[in-house]
Amino acid sequence: MRGDGDGWVFGADGARYWGRFGAAGLLLCAPADSGVVVLLQHRAVWSHQGGTWGLPGGARDSHESVEQAAVREAHEEAGIAESDVAVIESIVTHSAPEWSYTTVIAKADSPVATVGNGESAELRWVPAESVAELPLHPGLAKAWPGLLARLT
C-alpha cells in the first residue's frame, strides 16, 4: 500500500532523501548463543543504495510516529509481526534541514522468521559484532558504532 510519505525530498545541496516526512528503520535485535544478533536487509539492486545491507525501513507517513513507521516497514519488507517487537528507543541517526532518518531500536525474544518482499534481496540475522564487516548502506555505516554501543 502506498502511503502519503512516499516521495523524494531534495536538499539545498542537491542531496535527495526518500520520505516526504522523513524515514525510519527498525534495528531489531535478539539474544542468540553468540550474543546479540540483529536483523539486516540486503537491499534489492534496483533500490536506492541497492546492493548494500541496511535496516528494514522507509518513508514515514504524515499520520505516523517514527516508531509506527519503522514497525510497519519491517512488517512490509521482512514479515515481522508487530507482536514480535518491543520498541526500546528511537534515535535520529541522520538529520538535514529538510529531512531526518530515525533508527528505532527494538528487541525480539528470539530471532523470528522473516519473509522478504521485492525490496529485499536477502534478510539475515547477523551477530552484532559482525555487522561492520558487511557492505553497509552509507547511513547505517556511519551510525553503526553508536548503535552498537547501545546494544552491548
Side-chain angles (χ1 to χ4, degrees):
M1 180 177 178
R2 190 170 166 87
D4 70 346
D6 287 353
W8 293 103
V9 172
F10 296 92
D13 62 356
R16 67 181 186 152
Y17 307 100
W18 182 252
R20 295 179 53 229
F21 306 102
L26 190 71
L27 176 54
L28 185 59
C29 56
D33 292 338
S34 61
V36 175
V37 292
V38 298
L39 179 62
L40 293 182
Q41 174 192 50
H42 194 197
R43 300 168 62 84
V45 175
W46 60 263
S47 68
H48 187 244
Q49 299 291 342
T52 62
W53 289 85
L55 304 177
R60 183 173 68 88
D61 290 336
S62 63
H63 64 278
E64 292 179 307
S65 68
V66 291
E67 294 83 6
Q68 290 169 328
V71 171
R72 174 185 51 77
E73 287 282 347
H75 176 72
E76 290 174 6
E77 296 178 2
I80 302 298
E82 183 177 353
S83 60
D84 288 332
V85 173
V87 170
I88 305 300
E89 66 178 314
S90 301
I91 305 148
V92 175
T93 49
H94 182 86
S95 183
E98 308 85 358
W99 185 87
S100 66
Y101 183 92
T102 303
T103 300
V104 176
I105 299 175
K107 292 188 177 182
D109 292 334
S110 62
V112 296
T114 60
V115 178
N117 71 359
E119 296 180 45
S120 304
E122 180 183 355
L123 295 161
R124 185 188 303 172
W125 286 96
V126 178
E129 67 274 2
S130 301
V131 168
E133 298 168 13
L134 295 169
L136 298 177
H137 180 284
L140 180 57
K142 185 175 179 181
W144 183 247
L147 293 170
L148 178 60
R150 292 178 179 277
L151 302 180
T152 56

